[in-house]
Amino acid sequence: MKKILLFCSLFSAFHLFAQPSLTNVEVTLGTGNTMTITYDLAYPSNDLAKVTFRATERGGLIFGFDTSNATGDVGEGIASGMGRQIEWDYSAYAPIPDFRLMLVAELAPSVDIQALVEQVDSTRMSGDLTFLEGIRHRTAGAEHLQETKDFIELQFAEGGLEIAKQQFDFNGYQAENIIGRKIGTEEEGEVYIIDGHYDSVAGSPGADDNASGTAGMLEAMRILAPFGFKKTIRFIGFDLEEAGLVGSIEYVQNGIAQQENIAGVLNFEMIGYFTEVPNSQEVPLGFNLLFPAAQAKLEANQFRGDFVNVIGNGAASSLTDAYETAIENYVPQLNFISLEAPASWQTLTPDLGRSDHAPFWVAGVPALMLSDGANFRNPNYHGAGDTKDLVDFTFMHDVVQAAVATIAEVAGIQNAATWWTDTEFTTAVDEVAGCSFSISPNPAKDFLRLQWAGCQVGNFNIELLDINGRVIKNYLNRNGQNGQAQMVDVRGLEKGIYFIKVSDGEGQWARKVLVD
Ligand SMILES: [Zn+2]
């Protein structure tokens, strides 16, 4: 038995919600193509858990491998206890158990959403704003911009998210969207996004714009991350919004994985300015003609700036409904005005597209901007006076609460503990006659070279296999003497993951190679 090296994540959830916990997960390889996953399962109730075991290739986004042949403590009715075991024969995915594995332990009682939203903490967001306030601009505030990126990344790491940084050049500045992923447990290709841009303009400490949205995104992440979700949630800090939505355009055009469908976006764009002073809320020209119902609501409320704008595209109507329902059910004190942007918003109502939700709209993705209305309410917009002391944390708290409840509903929150990891060999599964092998280059474009040394005996066969274990090429009876090599032609192969496998009838050795 060889133990597999584990890294990545291990979560146990808040006990407040009587969630199960999965701890001490270990994966060991058995003889043949078998592995055993052992785990401790605990939960503070008498219900039995449903344990789901899933797999994909290492680093894979979608857990598409068939694990229905797994046996042992998997499926419905698993009692809490230590040393639970799942056995999996992965022959269908041999030659190499180089997997990403996921375990989900779920209890039937659903999560109390009211209790969930009550965890949203103004004090924590105020603390975030104390740190974030200050010029976050690539030239005028480069140092604080970098501190801000590091801060977001650290928060994501503490939430146990998988972190990716989408980096790209912008006039010599290395821009960076910071992306945290909470993997869905069932439909991980369906993705909800909560985002906020973290940059500011050059002349403003940007407390409302958009330290408030960044802090709101981070707070939503802290509340949601300990739970399981059927669908994936991505938390994103966008760079360079102030330079013309550069970060979000880059994400929509080049950052969305092919296997993912963005089911909905909540974009926090300035969620900190609130006032009950009459006539504090202005509207763009022509607003009364396009949105008579909203205009009437504003008039009845004497144009007070005491509500959140919920601004969606046509595709987002059900997401808007979900957000409104969340307000009604869990945050009834929060006033809101919802607007559906007309199809030709770019010419008719360009003000509605002035943030990172707009590139999603252009792509036809359901997206909402949640906003205090920017310069139509906040007199310090883009100015030196946009400071933390003018941010209303009760308002922010309410906006974030409704967002948390919305995502919990649409992404399918589960009373579950999730565990996932990538596995990697500490040593090869088996060996071939004492040989040590090396592959170069990897990734390979035209040819790759398999070299061996130290072999004690005889001949072996070399195979190139695809991700499903199909033999693409083979080279029979290669000589095991030292100093030998086999060139493998990979021209014309589809880009992707392959395996090189060597076997001599007694032992085998395999490694993953990338054809690029
Ligand atoms: Zn902004």
Side-chain angles (χ1 to χ4, degrees):
M1 300 265 276
K2 293 211 167 85
K3 200 164 267 190
I4 280 178
L5 176 72
L6 303 175
F7 54 95
C8 197
S9 53
L10 189 62
F11 301 115
S12 57
F14 291 130
H15 288 286
L16 177 64
F17 292 92
Q19 275 181 279
S21 73
L22 276 169
T23 51
N24 298 323
V25 184
E26 277 188 3
V27 182
T28 50
L29 299 179
T31 52
N33 295 320
T34 62
M35 65 167 64
T36 303
I37 300 98
T38 58
Y39 62 92
D40 295 346
L41 175 64
Y43 42 82
S45 74
N46 294 320
D47 302 289
L48 296 175
K50 176 182 162 193
V51 174
T52 309
F53 167 63
R54 304 183 66 202
T56 180
E57 75 271 15
R58 180 138 69 100
L61 282 179
I62 307 295
F63 289 70
F65 288 2
D66 183 359
T67 57
S68 60
N69 60 329
T71 57
D73 296 317
V74 61
E76 306 270 359
I78 309 298
S80 86
M82 312 219 317
R84 296 272 170 253
Q85 284 198 352
I86 298 171
E87 304 277 345
W88 187 38
D89 181 334
Y90 60 85
S91 295
Y93 303 99
I96 186 169
D98 193 10
F99 293 120
R100 164 168 283 197
L101 304 175
M102 180 195 286
L103 280 184
V104 182
E106 184 182 6
L107 290 175
S110 55
V111 175
D112 178 344
I113 307 279
Q114 186 69 52
L116 183 78
V117 303
E118 278 165 15
Q119 294 203 317
V120 173
D121 185 345
S122 306
T123 310
R124 206 156 42 191
M125 289 193 284
S126 172
D128 286 353
L129 240 79
T130 299
F131 179 84
L132 293 169
E133 179 180 38
I135 298 172
R136 304 176 300 279
H137 184 268
R138 62 196 175 280
T139 52
E143 196 180 326
H144 189 47
L145 186 63
Q146 186 58 51
E147 288 171 352
T148 297
K149 296 180 192 186
D150 294 345
F151 180 75
I152 295 168
E153 189 179 349
L154 180 67
Q155 302 304 307
F156 284 177
E158 287 185 352
L161 303 182
E162 281 184 16
I163 300 169
K165 293 192 267 187
Q166 186 189 14
Q167 297 179 325
F168 55 97
D169 176 77
F170 180 73
N171 302 333
Y173 160 72
Q174 185 177 269
E176 203 165 64
N177 294 326
I178 304 172
I179 305 166
R181 178 179 185 234
K182 174 76 191 178
I183 302 179
T185 60
E186 293 181 15
E187 298 170 69
E188 59 275 25
E190 290 292 300
V191 179
Y192 285 92
I193 291 173
I194 303 183
D195 76 85
H197 76 84
Y198 62 78
D199 65 320
S200 75
V201 293
S204 173
D208 185 22
D209 188 8
N210 187 35
S212 68
T214 304
M217 179 271 290
L218 292 174
E219 182 65 6
M221 182 277 298
R222 293 187 192 105
I223 306 300
L224 293 169
F227 291 86
F229 296 86
K230 292 178 181 172
K231 299 176 182 180
T232 292
I233 308 172
R234 285 189 181 274
F235 300 90
I236 305 181
F238 282 122
D239 202 351
L240 290 176
E241 191 268 353
E242 302 290 4
L245 319 183
V246 177
S248 51
I249 289 170
E250 187 70 23
Y251 179 73
V252 170
Q253 292 184 349
N254 302 313
I256 300 174
Q258 243 173 19
Q259 304 102 310
E260 291 192 339
N261 171 54
I262 308 299
V265 179
L266 299 184
N267 171 38
F268 288 136
E269 173 57 69
M270 305 178 66
I271 55 169
Y273 201 82
F274 174 96
T275 169
E276 290 177 317
V277 174
N279 300 313
S280 52
Q281 181 67 51
E282 296 172 0
V283 295
L285 206 65
F287 184 90
N288 53 334
L289 301 175
L290 276 164
F291 305 108
Q295 176 78 11
K297 204 168 171 181
L298 282 164
E299 278 170 15
N301 194 32
Q302 297 181 286
F303 287 88
R304 289 180 168 89
D306 64 352
F307 61 92
V308 62
N309 289 278
V310 182
I311 300 178
N313 54 342
S317 63
S318 68
L319 193 57
T320 302
D321 287 348
Y323 192 81
E324 290 178 354
T325 304
I327 291 174
E328 283 154 20
N329 289 343
Y330 307 111
V331 204
Q333 71 277 16
L334 175 62
N335 297 326
F336 63 92
I337 288 185
S338 302
L339 301 178
E340 184 178 314
S344 51
W345 59 272
Q346 282 161 301
T347 47
L348 273 180
T349 58
D351 279 318
L352 300 187
R354 275 173 39 201
S355 183
D356 289 322
H357 57 291
F360 292 97
W361 284 5
V362 170
V365 173
L368 300 185
M369 172 169 68
L370 303 171
S371 175
D372 58 26
N375 51 308
F376 295 101
R377 180 185 304 174
N378 187 341
N380 305 297
Y381 175 74
H382 282 188
D386 181 8
T387 52
K388 186 196 162 191
D389 55 305
L390 297 177
V391 168
D392 186 310
F393 286 97
T394 304
F395 176 60
M396 256 181 84
H397 171 267
D398 292 351
V399 173
V400 173
Q401 280 195 321
V404 163
T406 301
I407 294 295
E409 298 280 3
V410 296
I413 196 167
Q414 297 169 301
N415 188 9
T418 57
W419 168 94
W420 71 86
T421 192
D422 284 0
T423 60
E424 194 173 36
F425 295 114
T426 49
T427 57
V429 188
D430 276 307
E431 290 181 337
V432 177
C435 306
S436 65
F437 294 98
S438 64
I439 296 171
S440 67
N442 188 11
K445 213 178 190 64
D446 302 320
F447 292 91
L448 62 87
R449 178 184 166 89
L450 174 72
Q451 193 165 335
W452 54 90
C455 301
Q456 283 146 21
V457 284
N459 293 344
F460 43 74
N461 301 327
I462 300 167
E463 291 171 319
L464 178 72
L465 303 110
D466 71 10
I467 186 82
N468 298 314
R470 276 193 302 262
V471 178
I472 307 294
K473 291 172 190 281
N474 57 34
Y475 307 88
L476 302 177
N477 296 316
R478 275 13 205 189
N479 190 323
Q481 282 179 356
N482 273 346
Q484 303 242 358
Q486 175 68 49
M487 297 297 283
V488 178
D489 185 353
V490 297
R491 289 174 300 182
L493 294 183
E494 266 184 56
K495 290 181 184 185
I497 295 166
Y498 293 82
F499 297 98
I500 289 283
K501 178 179 165 186
V502 182
S503 54
D504 70 350
E506 287 184 20
Q508 66 171 38
W509 176 95
R511 279 292 180 279
K512 185 161 77 175
V513 294
L514 272 172
V515 172
D516 195 8

